Amino acid sequence: MQEHIFERMARERNISAEEMRAIISDRIEKGWNDKDPVKREQWRKIPCAGEIPTPDEWLSYVIKKIKADGQGSLLKKYLIW
């Protein structure tokens, strides 16, 4: 079974995957509620099923954006799928 990116990020930081997801969730929430309307608008482009994107929704959005921007080769270096 392949390692999920959050597991890899957690392992590299010597924390649990749950802690890594909590860190990402916190960053999403801060961006979602940023005082700068331009930054806030960027975060609100992330499609989500609920009120605010989950770490997995954020990751999916980032991957799609990287591919759309023609930078898919970056994914091979950083992601294990």
Side-chain angles (χ1 to χ4, degrees):
M1 188 166 130
Q2 292 184 331
E3 185 178 43
H4 190 282
I5 185 68
F6 297 149
E7 292 169 343
R8 179 179 175 181
M9 292 167 65
R11 181 175 43 79
E12 290 173 352
R13 289 161 179 80
N14 200 30
I15 60 175
S16 71
E18 292 78 20
E19 289 172 302
M20 190 74 248
R21 285 179 180 277
I23 290 167
I24 294 168
S25 291
D26 182 59
R27 181 62 190 105
I28 292 168
E29 187 174 338
K30 285 178 181 172
W32 195 261
N33 297 307
D34 198 295
K35 292 179 183 179
D36 181 336
V38 174
K39 290 180 183 178
R40 196 170 53 241
E41 182 62 29
Q42 288 296 317
W43 281 97
R44 291 174 188 255
K45 289 181 181 179
I46 302 171
C48 58
E51 212 172 294
I52 188 167
T54 65
D56 290 300
E57 289 169 329
W58 166 80
L59 180 61
S60 178
Y61 174 78
V62 169
I63 289 170
K64 287 177 185 173
K65 182 136 180 61
I66 288 170
K67 287 180 178 179
D69 290 346
Q71 300 296 318
S73 61
L74 292 173
L75 299 174
K76 293 178 184 174
K77 181 176 179 180
Y78 295 105
L79 300 181
I80 299 173
W81 242 263

